[in-house]
Each structure stands twice: as structure tokens, then as C-alpha cells.
């Protein structure tokens, strides 16, 4: 089993994942300590979570801006509870995404390029695409910039995995 292989690897001194069993135990202890610190704190409602994310994004927090731009914090299970926040998302998502792109956020650039390149009749288009007007030329510019940034040797591994999708989207837009 996977557990047996992981234990065997740890015992044989292979360095994969966790550097050592002690380091893994330390990480679990720290996680447990943090959970105990938060014990009794009530989980905010989905509406509050979306509001907090919007406020952080509007204040310029880069990760919050990137995440907010995706629209991923809106859950289908309680979409109707968030109608006022959805209206604010429609009004603010593009400017928040543009601000994140200006700060060099690759995820925000990818999401904004996807939104600008989306077909308005595509029922699977991302939420951000519903908040922006189609701009294929701007999408292509963003994708060229992404390709250049990802091609840079210092780009993180997650960004490198995006390259095939960027190339595919560029090819599709160039054929329009």
C-alpha cells in the first residue's frame, strides 16, 4: 500500500516529500496547535467569506485579488444567498483582476485572458467572463505576456504546467 511504501521510504532514509519522520511529526504538532488556537471560533457564513475576500482584494492583497478574480469563492450550493455579492463581483472583478495582473500575478493574468477570450454563448465560461466584455486582442496580449513570463527559467513549477494551455489558447486566438 501507499502507507507501507511511505513508511519504508522514511525508514530507509529516502528523501521524498517530508525530509524526515521528525519533520512530519513536527508539522502535525504545529497544525494541531493551530487548530486548538482556533477552537470555538465560529466559521463565517459564505456571504461573510465572500465579503472578506472582496475587501482584502480591494485593499490590494495580491493573493486575495487573484482568488477573487477567479470567482471560485462563490459556491453553487449557496449562490442565491450571495446575490448582492455577485452584483459587486460583476462590478469590481475586472478592475481587481487588472490590478493583480499589474502586480505580476500570473494566475490573474491567465484568468483574465480566459475571460476576455471566452465566447459569450459558451455555457461553461468562467464567472469572470460573465463580468467582462469579450476582448480577444487583449486576451492575446495577456497570453503572450504569460508565455514570456512562464518561459522565464525562474517561473515556478505550477506556472510551468500552465504553458501547454497558454500555447493552445494562443493558437486558437491567432486563428480567429
Amino acid at each position: 500500500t501507499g502507507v507501507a511504501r511511505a513508511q519504508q521510504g522514511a525508514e530507509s532514509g529516502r528523501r521524498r516529500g517530508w525530509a524526515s519522520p521528525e519533520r512530519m511529526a513536527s508539522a502535525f504538532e504545529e497544525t494541531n496547535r493551530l487548530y486548538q488556537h482556533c477552537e470555538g471560533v465560529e466559521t463565517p457564513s459564505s456571504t461573510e467569506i465572500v465579503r472578506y475576500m472582496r475587501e482584502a482584494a480591494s485593499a490590494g492583497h495580491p493573493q486575495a485579488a487573484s482568488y477573487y478574480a477567479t470567482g471560485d469563492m462563490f459556491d453553487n450550493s449557496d449562490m442565491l444567498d450571495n446575490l448582492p455579492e455577485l452584483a459587486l463581483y460583476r462590478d469590481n472583478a475586472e478592475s481587481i483582476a487588472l490590478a493583480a495582473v499589474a502586480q505580476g500575478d500570473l494566475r490573474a493574468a491567465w484568468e483574465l485572458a480566459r475571460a476576455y477570450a471566452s465566447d459569450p454563448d459558451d455555457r461553461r465560461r468562467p464567472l469572470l467572463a460573465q463580468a467582462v466584455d469579450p476582448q480577444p486582442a487583449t486576451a492575446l496580449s495577456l497570453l503572450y505576456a504569460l508565455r514570456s513570463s512562464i518561459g522565464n527559467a525562474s517561473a515556478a513549477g505550477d506556472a510551468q504546467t500552465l504553458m501547454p494551455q497558454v500555447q493552445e489558447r494562443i493558437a486558437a486566438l491567432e486563428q480567429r
Side-chain angles (χ1 to χ4, degrees):
T1 67
V3 173
R5 281 193 311 270
Q7 185 172 359
Q8 182 182 24
E11 290 169 357
S12 69
R14 269 195 327 218
R15 296 208 174 238
R16 208 179 234 191
W18 298 98
S20 70
E22 293 80 20
R23 184 161 180 224
M24 182 187 299
S26 174
F28 283 123
E29 287 172 14
E30 176 64 11
T31 301
N32 187 40
R33 186 186 66 74
L34 292 172
Y35 276 117
Q36 287 176 356
H37 173 76
C38 296
E39 192 172 325
V41 175
E42 193 172 312
T43 303
S45 70
S46 63
T47 302
E48 290 174 305
I49 292 169
V50 172
R51 180 175 52 86
Y52 293 144
M53 189 62 62
R54 177 179 43 79
E55 289 172 352
S58 296
H61 187 278
Q63 288 86 4
S66 179
Y67 187 66
Y68 185 82
T70 68
D72 288 348
M73 68 272 166
F74 291 103
D75 189 358
N76 286 337
S77 66
D78 55 14
M79 193 70 73
L80 294 178
D81 294 337
N82 284 310
L83 290 177
E85 283 295 334
L86 277 167
L88 289 168
Y89 176 84
R90 182 187 57 228
D91 294 341
N92 298 306
E94 183 176 22
S95 62
I96 288 172
L98 286 168
V101 170
Q103 292 179 354
D105 190 299
L106 298 181
R107 179 182 182 194
W110 169 247
E111 294 296 333
L112 195 55
R114 283 183 55 216
Y116 284 153
S118 290
D119 180 356
D121 296 328
D122 182 357
R123 297 178 53 88
R124 296 171 295 144
R125 67 189 176 137
L127 189 60
L128 184 57
Q130 298 174 47
V132 301
D133 292 326
Q135 298 180 37
T138 305
L140 196 54
S141 294
L142 282 168
L143 291 167
Y144 286 147
L146 264 173
R147 181 173 64 186
S148 176
S149 294
I150 292 171
N152 180 349
S154 66
D158 291 344
Q160 292 289 339
T161 62
L162 189 59
M163 184 63 93
Q165 295 171 10
V166 170
Q167 294 285 57
E168 181 181 311
R169 192 61 63 118
I170 287 172
L173 285 171
E174 286 178 338
Q175 291 179 356
R176 281 190 187 177

